[in-house]
Amino acid sequence: MKGHVVATVGPRRSKPNPAFDWCADVPEGFDISFESDAPMSGIRRVPIHIWWSGERSDFDMGEEDTRVFVYEQVLHQGRGIDVLEWIQPRELVRLWDKMFATAQMNDVWDPWIRAQW
């Protein structure tokens, strides 16, 4: 079809917004070689300072879509200690392009992701 344009879908990223001007920093020593005990399976309760909406706070970490969501919440609402407790570095690298990242998260975490390749 002449003039037909095919759109590509890339990572979901937001525009800068002062309401989302916060995210967890990259903890010292957190890299692809970091041995993490972060959950990759089982039903886990996310702390209230990360998931405070009042809805369910138990998440099945064995489901990839759930891990994406929990990782988004930890990076957006959590602290460095939460990153260490909830996120597997290799899994974060693998899932990064499926995640919705605020502008702040992208500024902090995208360089870290790229450095792991």
Side-chain angles (χ1 to χ4, degrees):
M1 176 182 251
K2 192 172 188 177
H4 181 48
V5 177
V6 176
T8 58
V9 177
R12 298 175 301 154
R13 302 291 182 250
S14 72
K15 295 179 180 172
N17 180 334
F20 299 107
D21 213 11
W22 163 260
C23 77
D25 289 327
V26 178
E28 188 173 328
F30 188 78
D31 62 27
I32 206 77
S33 65
F34 179 75
E35 293 296 326
S36 176
D37 292 328
M40 291 287 288
S41 63
I43 306 296
R44 305 297 163 107
R45 177 158 290 168
V46 175
I48 196 163
H49 69 276
I50 294 172
W51 183 248
W52 42 264
S53 79
E55 296 176 18
R56 68 184 180 110
S57 61
D58 294 330
F59 295 93
D60 183 352
M61 297 301 289
E63 295 181 15
E64 182 175 293
D65 289 344
T66 301
R67 277 195 310 281
V68 167
F69 179 78
V70 170
Y71 282 22
E72 290 168 352
Q73 298 307 305
V74 170
L75 293 181
H76 179 60
Q77 302 290 341
R79 305 167 299 210
I81 191 82
D82 300 311
V83 171
L84 296 173
E85 184 177 342
W86 284 93
I87 295 180
Q88 294 271 351
R90 285 183 187 91
E91 186 70 352
L92 177 58
V93 169
R94 189 179 78 75
L95 297 176
W96 181 249
D97 286 336
K98 297 178 182 182
M99 294 173 61
F100 179 81
T102 65
Q104 180 69 19
M105 285 166 56
N106 196 55
D107 288 349
V108 170
W109 285 94
D110 194 64
W112 180 88
I113 294 290
R114 305 296 168 222
Q116 304 310 304
W117 290 347

